[in-house]
Amino acid sequence: MGKKRKHSETESAVIANKEEIAEERPKRTLLGFKDSNGDAKEHDIAPAGFRNKEKVLVTCTRRISFRYRHLMLNLVDLLPHCKKDNKVESKNSKGTALNELVELKSCSSCLFFECRKGKDLYLWMAKCPNGPSVKFLVNAVHTKEELKLTGNHLKGSRPILTFSSNFDQNPHWKLIFGIPKDHRKSKPYHDHVFVFSIADGHIWFRNYQISCTHFGTQKVDRGDLEKMTLVEVGPRFCLNPIKIFGGSFGGPTLFENPFYVSPNQIRSLAKRQKAGKYAKKVKAKTRRKMHELENPLEVDEFADMWKE
């Protein structure tokens, strides 16, 4: 067995090892770094910058169809600063319930998908709790799973927002739909584009990936737009504005679309047209009977010739 080291030898070895190892980092606290004496250094405190804590609550009503639910999940993937919650019962008092839910989830905005009769989808965009809020009718819905497009971009990256020149004509078209800068779940670069365009009084939404064709280590020059192409990713949908309210999910009406026709009226008109076709058939039959009664046929003298 080896000999035991003396106590003095072990102390000298520990001191030599401490000199080789770097100095221990001081303990960090909320007020800065602490010295060995326990005093905090105020000059080491980093200046706190602006941190955007904007969050969006995304929820829907019960008995929503699978197609509209997939559209909502596609939007959740596009918005890294959102929070998804359970389904909410659609009642007359949904505004107060949603405002409380937004406050409990520490959010500042809300996207509420309201499905009625299993056919009609309404989208509420609200700034809680003071407003304003916008109500849309969603048409021409195509989810990512239906389109099967070749485009693909990273999840959580910040999009570039592009609006058509029509948005500057009227004040009610000026909408905000983006991801806050320096959010903890968002990437610090752009690789896709959100396109908003107005046609026939509707807002059409498209999502494109920014694709750059380069080979190996070759990089695209900054601002070289000729080498960049756009590949559609999805989803697609169309927003028909109905009303803009001054409060959150209600309040005074700031704007009302005069050209809006509800889906119930469209379906009732279609039923009336079908009912009109049946009524025309009944009228034609009655006219034919009246014509036969007014113009009876003459008796044929040879009708009973071959009867025995």
Side-chain angles (χ1 to χ4, degrees):
M1 294 180 64
K3 295 181 180 180
K4 293 184 179 180
R5 291 185 179 181
K6 295 181 180 181
H7 186 67
S8 60
E9 294 179 359
T10 56
E11 287 182 354
S12 60
V14 170
I15 294 170
N17 290 335
K18 283 186 177 180
E19 290 178 353
E20 294 177 358
I21 302 173
E23 294 183 2
E24 186 179 358
R25 189 174 181 180
K27 187 177 180 181
R28 186 171 185 176
T29 62
L30 295 175
L31 301 177
F33 292 100
K34 275 190 176 182
D35 294 335
S36 58
N37 300 329
D39 300 331
K41 295 181 180 180
E42 295 182 358
H43 61 275
D44 291 333
I45 301 174
F50 173 72
R51 185 177 180 183
N52 196 331
K53 296 184 179 180
E54 186 83 13
K55 295 178 183 177
V56 182
L57 178 68
V58 181
T59 182
C60 63
T61 57
R62 297 186 182 275
R63 295 174 294 275
I64 189 172
S65 63
F66 70 97
R67 192 177 186 185
Y68 297 149
R69 186 176 68 253
H70 289 173
L71 174 65
M72 182 186 69
L73 295 178
N74 292 155
L75 289 180
V76 168
D77 293 338
L78 295 178
L79 302 175
H81 64 297
C82 72
K83 287 186 177 181
K84 184 179 175 297
D85 198 73
N86 297 329
K87 298 177 181 178
V88 181
E89 191 67 34
S90 178
K91 295 181 179 179
N92 295 329
S93 60
K94 64 176 178 291
T96 55
L98 286 171
N99 287 329
E100 292 178 359
L101 190 61
V102 168
E103 186 178 358
L104 289 174
K105 293 290 182 178
S106 303
C107 297
S108 57
S109 305
C110 182
L111 290 179
F112 179 60
F113 291 84
E114 185 178 5
C115 186
R116 295 181 182 176
K117 298 184 178 180
K119 303 176 182 178
D120 308 327
L121 179 64
Y122 296 90
L123 175 60
W124 287 83
M125 293 183 181
K127 193 76 175 177
C128 300
N130 299 323
S133 57
V134 191
K135 185 180 181 181
F136 297 99
L137 175 66
V138 185
N139 295 321
V141 175
H142 299 281
T143 61
K144 288 183 180 179
E145 292 78 10
E146 293 176 350
L147 295 174
K148 296 181 180 179
L149 298 170
T150 58
N152 186 20
H153 58 79
L154 292 176
K155 184 178 180 180
S157 59
R158 298 181 64 238
I160 299 174
L161 303 183
T162 59
F163 297 88
S164 62
S165 59
N166 302 338
F167 280 89
D168 296 331
Q169 296 179 1
N170 297 316
H172 63 272
W173 289 123
K174 296 179 180 179
L175 303 175
I176 299 175
F177 187 74
I179 295 172
K181 187 179 179 181
D182 298 331
H183 193 271
R184 62 186 183 89
K185 291 187 178 180
S186 66
K187 306 296 187 299
Y189 48 82
H190 306 274
D191 67 341
H192 61 114
V193 183
F194 287 167
V195 180
F196 296 88
S197 56
I198 298 175
D200 300 330
H202 295 65
I203 301 174
W204 299 81
F205 172 80
R206 295 290 185 270
N207 181 22
Y208 295 96
Q209 175 198 358
I210 302 174
S211 178
C212 302
T213 56
H214 59 278
F215 303 97
T217 58
Q218 182 184 0
K219 295 184 179 180
V220 179
D221 296 334
R222 189 182 185 91
D224 194 358
L225 300 179
E226 295 180 356
K227 296 182 181 179
M228 297 182 184
T229 57
L230 296 179
V231 184
E232 188 173 358
V233 182
R236 299 177 182 174
F237 56 89
C238 174
L239 299 177
N240 185 11
I242 303 173
K243 285 184 179 181
I244 298 178
F245 300 96
S248 177
F249 299 100
T253 303
L254 303 179
F255 168 77
E256 184 174 1
N257 189 1
F259 304 104
Y260 170 72
V261 181
S262 66
N264 292 329
Q265 294 180 359
I266 295 173
R267 285 191 289 266
S268 64
L269 289 173
K271 289 182 180 179
R272 286 179 185 177
Q273 289 179 357
K274 291 181 180 179
K277 290 181 181 179
Y278 177 75
K280 287 180 181 179
K281 290 181 180 179
V282 173
K283 289 180 181 179
K285 286 183 180 180
T286 55
R287 284 199 304 267
R288 182 64 181 173
K289 289 181 180 179
M290 294 297 294
H291 178 74
E292 290 177 355
L293 293 174
E294 292 176 357
N295 302 307
L297 295 175
E298 296 181 359
V299 179
D300 189 5
E301 55 183 349
F302 301 105
D304 299 332
M305 179 175 178
W306 307 104
K307 289 183 180 181
E308 293 182 358

